[in-house]
Amino acid sequence: MEETRRLPVHVSIIMDGNGRWAKERGKERVYGHFEGVESVRACTEAAVETGVKYLSLFAFSEENWGRPDQEVNTLMELMFKSMQNELPTFLKNDIRFVVLGNRARLSDKLNAGIDDLMARTASCSRLTLIVFLSYSGKWDILQAARKMAEAGADDLEPFLVTAGFPDPDFIIRTSGEQRLSNFLLWQGAYSEFYFTDILWPDFRKDAFREALAEYARRDRRYGKVK
Ligand code: FPP
């Protein structure tokens, strides 16, 4: 197979291990999140460089609301600031920015910032960067099922928040944990999984490229024989 055909169209990452990374250094957990933003930047650049069309990141789960207020607030503030800071980079590199999740739980300020960034980058097409915020797979399926019933429809997929975006070909999880943690339950039905011990703040360009190399070696059959 040609190399280009072995490149995943959509890479999705469960960014894990920020807290442990900080703890190893005797610092507060939030310090790991700050450093994690650098990995977001590095992987976004690597996605553009390698030709991946969709990069999605599990930044905050519905379950994460249960963390201490101080950590939740810092994370939300970090999302807001990072988004504002990255606008010039997104426009320069033709990156479309999208946030998916239960946005009703986000603050008005954050939602306004998200809407603004999504509108300003709406026509960018080199890479679509999807940030999952206040997202969980079960929540997504439930809200889609409600809408499907209301519409009297018989296909769930058009009602998932990911409608219109391709399913992830490749789901990466950092920090040694080997589970899906209520992420893309429906959309990940045929995804290839990749687990690495590297903690998210250390997952930079080389690690991203190494993961893609592993993907290229996989044989995807979608339940069929080849
Ligand atoms: C998991 O590590 C990481 C998170 C819950 C937050 C990830 C968010 C960012 C890095 C900010 C992203 C910013 C943008 C703009 C997308 P953990 O805290 O669960 O670590 P632990 O398992 O070691 O405790």
Side-chain angles (χ1 to χ4, degrees):
M1 219 191 276
E2 295 162 33
E3 201 51 41
T4 49
R5 289 182 60 198
R6 294 179 175 214
L7 186 69
V9 172
H10 180 177
V11 176
S12 198
I13 308 181
I14 301 174
M15 309 180 286
D16 199 6
N18 293 351
R20 277 164 282 166
W21 188 91
K23 202 174 166 205
E24 278 176 8
R25 287 159 181 79
K27 308 229 184 193
E28 296 279 319
R29 293 175 55 78
V30 293
Y31 183 72
H33 299 318
F34 295 146
E35 203 56 34
V37 174
E38 295 307 315
S39 295
V40 170
R41 194 170 289 128
C43 288
T44 304
E45 276 177 25
V48 168
E49 286 162 10
T50 50
V52 166
K53 299 302 286 181
Y54 295 84
L55 175 67
S56 62
L57 305 169
F58 198 13
F60 195 87
S61 72
E62 282 281 77
E63 291 76 18
N64 286 154
W65 289 111
R67 292 192 177 194
D69 284 354
Q70 189 231 352
E71 185 174 347
V72 170
N73 294 339
T74 307
L75 270 172
M76 291 299 151
E77 197 55 35
L78 190 60
M79 305 287 178
F80 183 78
K81 289 217 176 100
S82 309
M83 286 173 199
Q84 310 299 74
N85 290 343
E86 295 310 318
L87 178 63
T89 317
F90 291 155
L91 294 176
K92 188 170 143 244
N93 293 289
D94 198 18
I95 298 171
R96 180 180 171 201
F97 179 81
V98 177
V99 168
L100 300 178
N102 189 0
R103 291 199 39 199
R105 295 187 78 173
L106 305 181
S107 70
D108 291 346
K109 178 182 148 188
L110 183 55
N111 270 323
I114 291 168
D115 284 339
D116 183 54
L117 205 50
M118 283 177 61
R120 284 169 191 252
T121 62
S123 60
C124 296
S125 61
R126 190 166 174 198
L127 169 75
T128 299
L129 176 65
I130 303 171
V131 175
F132 284 94
L133 261 191
S134 194
Y135 182 85
S136 88
K138 288 187 181 179
W139 164 81
D140 194 7
I141 291 168
L142 193 61
Q143 66 82 31
R146 286 202 185 103
K147 287 183 185 154
M148 184 180 82
E150 252 171 53
D154 57 7
D155 182 9
L156 190 88
E157 227 154 60
F159 300 100
L160 293 167
V161 293
T162 50
F165 298 107
D167 287 340
D169 301 290
F170 199 35
I171 297 180
I172 296 170
R173 184 170 188 155
T174 59
S175 90
E177 311 292 350
Q178 303 196 358
R179 53 181 175 267
L180 197 48
S181 295
N182 208 355
F183 189 35
L184 295 169
L185 299 182
W186 179 285
Q187 300 86 339
Y190 285 101
S191 304
E192 291 290 327
F193 287 87
Y194 180 85
F195 300 107
T196 170
D197 287 340
I198 301 173
L199 304 177
W200 178 247
D202 288 329
F203 194 88
R204 300 287 162 96
K205 281 189 181 185
D206 285 352
F208 185 86
R209 288 174 180 276
E210 199 180 312
L212 289 193
E214 164 64 21
Y215 177 88
R217 289 191 286 271
R218 304 270 177 100
D219 179 20
R220 298 181 77 193
R221 290 188 298 274
Y222 299 95
K224 304 183 182 99
V225 284
K226 257 190 188 156

